[in-house]
Amino acid sequence: MSKQITFSIDGVEVKGKEGQTILQAADEAGIYIPRLCYMEGLVPHGSCRVCTVIVNGKPQTACTQPIAEGMTVENDTPELKEHRRNIIDMLFIEGNHFCMFCEKSGNCELQALAYRLGILSPKFPYFFPKKDIDATHPDIFLDLNRCILCGRCVEASKDIDRKGVFDFVGRGINKKIAVNAEANLKDTNLAIADKAADVCPVGSINKKHTAFATPIGKRLYDVKPIGSEIEERKK
Amino acid sequence: MSKSKRVIIEPVTRVEGHGKVSLLLDENNKVKQARFHVVEFRGFERFIQGRPYWEIPVLVQRLCGICPVSHHLAAAKAMDQIVGADKLTPTAEKMRRLMHYGQMFQSHALHFFHLCSPDLLFGFDADPKIRNVIGVAAKYPELAVQGVMMRKYGQEIIKATAGKKIHGTGAIPGGINKNLSIAERDVFLKDIKQMLDWSRSALKIAKDYTVENLEKLTPFASFDSNHLSLIRSDGAMDLYHGNLRAITADGKKIFDQVDYTNYLDYITEEVKSWSYMKFPFIKSLGPQNGWYRVGPLARINTCDFIDTPEAEAARKEFMAVTSGKPNNITMAYHWARMIETLHSIEKINELLNDKDLQGTDLVVKGKRRSEGIGLLEAPRGTLFHHYKINDDDQIVMANLIVSTTNNNEPFNRAVQKVAADHIDGVAEITEGLLNHIEVAIRAYDPCLSCATHAMGKMPLKVTLFDYQGNEIASKTKE
Ligand code: SF4
Ligand code: FES
C-alpha cells in the first residue's frame, strides 16, 4: 500500500496517496477542481491551465502537480475563479464556438464550465479564425472550429489506441491538430471504436449521423453542473 | 478572415429592421411603381456550405427569430430524404405535427393580438397613438391576457416537443428525439378547453369586423392574384405536409397535387436589381403573371375543406362571402389566420388524445440520398428547403424560399394599391398614407416585423421618387 499523505485544500484536510496529483486526490475526496484538458486514464497534458491552484503560495497545475505532506492548496478563491473565467473566455474567442447549433451542446465540457463559472457573454472580441473541417472519414467528422487543443485525442490515439492518428503541428496561435496521413482523416486507420474518437471535450471530433439524438433535458450537463459528479463523492 | 462571418450574422439580425418602401411616380405624379424592400438572408445559404447535414435542422433556425420551428421542421423533412426515411414512425410524425401546430398557434396568436387586433378593434383609420397593442391592453385587458396565454401555450408545446421554446433540437434526420410523456400531455389537456374557447372568440372578432366592414375592406390594398399552398392528397388543408396546388384568382387550378420534390419544374425565381430578395413565380405563367400569394388567405382559398369540424364551419362562412370563389381581399388575411388558429388548436387536441405520442419508436433510416427537399406551410406561408450533400455528408447546395419571399410581389402590389389611392397628382407622403401602408403590410405578417412585434409597432420608412428618379420626400413612422 502506498503511503498516505495529508494536505489541505481551502483549509479542508485531505488524505491522498503518494504519487497522486492534487487533482486525483481532490477527486477522490469529492472536491472539484475545474479542469479541461485533463481526462482520467490519459497522461495529463497540462496545457489548458484551468486547473491552476495555489500551492504553498505559488500557482501550479493541479493535474500535474504531485501531492506532498502538509502542502496547502487554494482552489475555490475569487482570484482563481477569475483566472479560470479568463481562460475559458479566451478559448471561446479563439475558435468558432456556436453553441446554439453545435451537436455537443449540453454535453460539452467547455460550455458546461462556462456555465459553472458564470460566464454569460463574451468579454473579448471574437477572432473568427478560419479553421479546417475534415469530413472525409465515413464515421467521424472533424471540425477544428471547435478544437481547444486539449491534446486528449493525441494522447488517446498514441497511448491507448497505439495508432498516433492525431498530433499537433504549428506553434502559438497557428498551432493546430493534424492527422497522421498524406491527405485526410479517411486515409488514417482511425476507427469509430477507438478511444480517440471518444475523448474530445468539445464538438471537434464527432461521430457522424448521431447528432442531437439525446433530447434537451437529458444531456450530461442539462440538470447538474459539471463537477457535481465529483462533488457527490463527498460523504 | 472575419469577413465571411459578417455575412452570416448581419443578415440574420437585419431581418428585424425597418420596413422600407419606395414609391416611384410618373410625370403626372401618379404612382407608377411601389417597392417594398425586405433585407433577406441569402448569406445563410453560403454559410451552411460544408456543414454536416445533421446539423442543418438546428443551425437553420438561426435564420429567423420568429418562426424558427418552421425552419427546423422543413430542414428536418429535407434531411429525412437524405437518410432515406420515406415514412416516419407514427410517434415521430405526430410529435413533429404537434410541434408545428404549437408553432402555428403561438405565431398566429402573437400576430393577432399584437399586430392585427389594434387595427380591427379601433379601425384602421384610428389614431396610431391608440391603434397599437398598448391601446388594446388598456381598453380590452382580458383580450391582451388571452393573447399572452395562448402564445405561452403554443410555446410550451414547442418546448415539450423540441426541448426548448426557441432553437430546440427535437426533429432529427429520420424522426424525433423524444416522445410526449403522460405528465407533459396532461398539462396541455388541462387547458385545452380554454384555448379552444379563446380561439373561437378571437375568430369571432376577426370575422365580425371583416363582415361588418366588408365594403370598405374589399378594395383596401387588394388585388387579384394566384394562390399557392400545400394540400393533402384528398384536398384537405394540411399545414405540415402535402402536395403543391396553385389556383388562379378566380379558382381555376394552375397545377394540382404536384409532388413538391419536383417544385423546380413548376416554380422559379427571378432576380431584380433593386432587391436582395428573389421573386418566385409559376413557370408556366411567366414572371408577369405567375406570381402568387401564400399564407393563411392562400391556404383557405386553395383547400377543398378543413378536416377539423369547427375550422371547417368557419371556412364555409369565409368562402360564402365571395360566393365560394377565392377571396382576394388583403384584409381577409386576418380572418383566415384566425380560422387556422382554431384549426391548429383542434389539431393539437386531436394529437394530445392520440396514444401514438407516447410511442418509443422514434427514428427510421433507409437508403442514403444526396439530395433532400422539405416543404411545409409555415405561419406566413409555404416554406421551401432544398439541399444537396457530397459523399462526405457536407452541404454543397442550399436553396431556401421563405414565406416572405413568396409574398414578395404581393407586398409590392398591396403597397402600390394603397399608394395609388392616396397619391393622385400631389407628390406628398401624408400621415394617412403611412398608416395605411402599415395596415396593409401588417395583414401579411411579414417576418421583418419580428423584433417589433413586442411593441406592436413596425418602424416604416417611405421614400418618394419623381419620374426622373430623384428623391423628393421621405418620412419615417417609428
Ligand atoms: S480535437 Fe478535441 S480532443 Fe483533440 S485536441 Fe481538439 S479539443 Fe482536444
Ligand atoms: S486540466 Fe490541468 S492544465 Fe488542463
Side-chain angles (χ1 to χ4, degrees):
Chain A
M1 243 190 64
S2 46
K3 208 175 111 195
Q4 199 183 55
I5 288 180
T6 307
F7 68 109
S8 74
I9 300 178
D10 294 332
V12 177
E13 190 181 276
V14 177
K15 289 188 196 331
K17 294 181 219 83
E18 189 173 28
Q20 279 185 319
T21 60
I22 298 171
L23 198 120
Q24 284 168 331
D27 277 5
E28 268 180 28
I31 296 171
Y32 177 64
I33 301 174
R35 82 288 307 269
L36 205 43
C37 66
Y38 172 80
M39 189 184 206
E40 216 175 307
L42 299 180
V43 179
H45 191 230
S47 63
C48 75
R49 307 274 142 180
V50 168
C51 69
T52 299
V53 288
I54 305 294
V55 180
N56 299 336
K58 274 186 19 204
Q60 302 280 2
T61 47
C63 69
T64 55
Q65 183 67 32
I67 51 173
E69 190 62 39
M71 73 174 18
T72 61
V73 176
E74 292 165 55
N75 170 41
D76 196 10
T77 70
E79 294 77 28
L80 285 171
K81 265 204 181 130
E82 187 54 23
H83 162 79
R84 289 166 186 154
R85 265 197 289 266
N86 281 334
I87 294 176
I88 302 291
D89 259 320
M90 287 189 275
L91 286 172
F92 268 106
I93 60 140
E94 280 171 18
N96 297 308
H97 298 276
F98 296 104
C99 300
M100 54 279 200
F101 59 80
C102 178
E103 60 190 272
K104 194 77 173 201
S105 190
N107 296 313
C108 172
E109 293 176 39
L110 179 68
Q111 180 193 43
L113 212 46
Y115 281 137
R116 171 147 187 159
L117 295 172
I119 297 173
L120 296 173
S121 56
K123 154 153 118 191
F124 308 117
Y126 283 103
F127 283 12
F128 293 127
K130 177 111 189 62
K131 300 273 184 171
D132 297 331
I133 289 174
D134 187 336
T136 57
H137 195 284
D139 302 317
I140 291 153
F141 187 86
L142 182 64
D143 185 349
L144 295 184
N145 284 296
R146 301 164 183 161
C147 175
I148 55 169
L149 301 171
C150 70
R152 287 186 192 176
C153 57
V154 178
E155 299 296 328
S157 190
K158 188 166 54 145
D159 294 345
I160 297 178
D161 305 329
R162 308 241 166 240
K163 290 186 177 177
V165 169
F166 298 104
D167 209 346
F168 289 113
V169 294
R171 347 183 59 198
I173 192 83
N174 296 315
K175 184 171 171 180
K176 62 172 186 178
I177 284 289
V179 300
N180 180 17
E182 285 288 297
N184 300 308
L185 200 57
K186 76 164 185 323
D187 308 308
T188 69
N189 55 352
L190 178 68
I192 191 159
D194 285 355
K195 184 75 177 168
D198 243 352
V199 295
C200 186
V202 291
S204 185
I205 300 176
N206 303 299
K207 293 184 181 162
K208 282 186 168 184
H209 319 291
T210 59
F212 305 109
T214 310
I216 295 169
K218 295 248 153 60
R219 301 169 308 183
L220 215 48
Y221 305 119
D222 278 339
V223 184
K224 290 185 196 158
I226 190 168
S228 39
E229 71 285 359
I230 289 166
E231 287 160 330
E232 278 160 12
R233 290 178 198 164
K234 198 187 272 165
K235 300 150 242 97
Chain B
M1 247 195 287
S2 62
K3 214 169 162 202
S4 65
K5 203 55 58 180
R6 291 264 148 75
V7 180
I8 314 148
I9 294 167
E10 284 194 341
V12 182
T13 44
R14 267 192 304 172
V15 173
E16 302 161 349
H18 280 62
K20 253 178 74 185
V21 168
S22 337
L23 302 172
L24 275 70
L25 304 181
D26 66 11
E27 289 170 36
N28 303 315
N29 285 337
K30 286 185 191 288
V31 180
K32 200 169 108 191
Q33 195 174 47
R35 290 170 175 178
F36 178 57
H37 303 264
V38 182
V39 180
E40 222 217 347
F41 15 70
R42 297 318 264 198
F44 220 86
E45 294 170 345
R46 276 199 303 280
F47 173 60
I48 61 180
Q49 306 278 327
R51 300 309 310 169
Y53 73 81
W54 53 83
E55 205 175 69
I56 302 305
V58 177
L59 194 165
V60 82
Q61 297 180 77
R62 315 305 301 177
L63 198 60
C64 170
I66 195 150
C67 56
V69 171
S70 306
H71 290 291
H72 179 55
L73 289 171
K77 287 178 79 178
M79 297 318 160
D80 292 344
Q81 288 168 14
I82 296 228
V83 299
D86 292 331
K87 191 165 171 36
L88 299 192
T89 68
T91 305
E93 157 97 14
K94 287 173 187 175
M95 281 297 284
R96 285 195 192 177
R97 280 185 178 270
L98 183 62
M99 192 194 302
H100 188 51
Y101 290 118
Q103 156 83 348
M104 193 66 77
F105 188 70
Q106 74 90 14
S107 174
H108 279 2
L110 178 70
H111 178 268
F112 182 73
F113 290 100
H114 282 87
L115 290 184
C116 147
S117 73
D119 294 346
L120 265 48
L121 294 169
F122 298 116
F124 64 71
D125 278 323
D127 183 351
K129 282 200 206 69
I130 59 152
R131 190 175 53 83
N132 58 45
V133 70
I134 311 282
V136 173
K139 193 152 174 221
Y140 306 91
E142 71 299 335
L143 213 58
V145 171
Q146 286 173 23
V148 171
M149 299 304 281
M150 285 169 75
R151 174 143 197 254
K152 186 155 184 292
Y153 189 85
Q155 285 177 322
E156 290 298 335
I157 287 187
I158 294 171
K159 188 172 171 210
T161 48
K164 269 164 78 183
K165 283 183 196 165
I166 45 162
H167 306 140
T169 63
I172 54 179
I176 194 91
N177 68 15
K178 74 183 289 286
N179 66 6
L180 194 74
S181 71
I182 300 276
E184 285 170 323
R185 183 199 66 185
D186 290 348
V187 171
F188 295 121
L189 280 174
K190 194 167 69 54
D191 291 331
I192 190 85
K193 270 213 170 65
Q194 183 67 80
M195 294 301 144
L196 278 158
D197 267 350
W198 286 345
S199 303
R200 289 177 194 119
S201 57
L203 169 63
K204 189 171 179 322
I205 293 172
K207 184 189 92 177
D208 290 351
Y209 174 80
T210 317
V211 172
E212 277 159 28
N213 297 283
L214 197 59
E215 213 170 306
K216 191 168 137 209
L217 296 180
T218 301
F220 177 77
S222 292
F223 49 89
D224 281 355
S225 78
N226 306 310
H227 300 270
L228 176 128
S229 81
L230 292 175
I231 214 84
R232 206 165 71 182
S233 51
D234 60 357
M237 170 184 277
D238 193 333
L239 302 172
Y240 176 73
H241 190 67
N243 297 315
L244 284 166
R245 173 183 283 179
I247 60 168
T248 62
D250 55 0
K252 284 200 248 338
K253 296 207 171 76
I254 304 166
F255 51 73
D256 195 15
Q257 298 298 350
V258 165
D259 177 348
Y260 65 60
T261 58
N262 299 323
Y263 80 98
L264 282 175
D265 295 338
Y266 296 85
I267 288 160
T268 188
E269 290 176 280
E270 187 188 19
V271 180
K272 296 192 183 180
S273 57
W274 54 269
S275 177
Y276 291 104
M277 191 145 84
K278 290 190 190 172
F279 287 76
F281 62 90
I282 295 163
K283 269 184 169 176
S284 64
L285 300 179
Q288 283 304 316
N289 305 312
W291 54 275
Y292 51 83
R293 273 188 278 198
V294 298
L297 182 70
R299 292 190 284 245
I300 302 275
N301 281 334
T302 51
C303 76
D304 300 330
F305 68 99
I306 299 178
D307 69 343
T308 54
E310 294 190 48
E312 171 58 6
R315 186 196 67 88
K316 285 189 175 137
E317 286 180 334
F318 182 93
M319 294 312 288
V321 167
T322 48
S323 319
K325 288 278 178 202
N327 185 321
N328 286 288
I329 304 168
T330 285
M331 290 299 280
Y333 260 95
H334 292 306
W335 184 2
R337 197 173 284 115
M338 287 303 101
I339 296 175
E340 288 189 344
T341 309
L342 183 57
H343 172 60
S344 298
I345 196 71
E346 286 184 285
K347 278 286 183 194
I348 289 169
N349 191 17
E350 246 175 46
L351 285 163
L352 291 174
N353 287 292
D354 190 327
K355 290 203 170 44
D356 279 344
L357 284 182
Q358 280 79 48
T360 50
D361 206 358
L362 304 181
V363 183
V364 288
K365 282 199 177 148
K367 199 171 168 315
R368 183 185 184 279
R369 296 191 188 94
S370 58
E371 188 170 4
I373 297 173
L375 267 72
L376 55 70
E377 287 296 330
R380 289 155 194 79
T382 320
L383 172 64
F384 298 61
H385 278 221
H386 183 184
Y387 305 96
K388 285 185 189 160
I389 61 168
N390 62 14
D391 289 344
D392 295 336
D393 306 308
Q394 296 171 284
I395 301 291
V396 289
M397 190 286 294
N399 185 41
L400 311 182
I401 311 177
V402 303
S403 320
T404 300
T405 304
N406 282 306
N407 269 337
N408 205 354
E409 183 61 26
F411 286 142
N412 294 328
R413 301 278 168 152
V415 172
Q416 166 139 22
K417 181 75 195 311
V418 171
D421 290 345
H422 277 266
I423 300 178
D424 192 9
V426 188
E428 189 194 356
I429 306 172
T430 60
E431 283 298 320
L433 173 63
L434 270 177
N435 285 334
H436 281 185
I437 288 178
E438 180 190 54
V439 170
I441 293 173
R442 275 184 185 190
Y444 287 87
D445 190 16
C447 42
L448 71 136
S449 57
C450 29
T452 51
H453 258 304
M455 294 307 292
K457 282 182 182 176
M458 181 178 65
L460 183 69
K461 185 177 179 198
V462 177
T463 312
L464 212 54
F465 296 90
D466 68 13
Y467 72 103
Q468 289 170 317
N470 304 313
E471 183 178 323
I472 46 177
S474 176
K475 216 172 203 169
T476 303
K477 180 181 177 301
E478 288 299 335

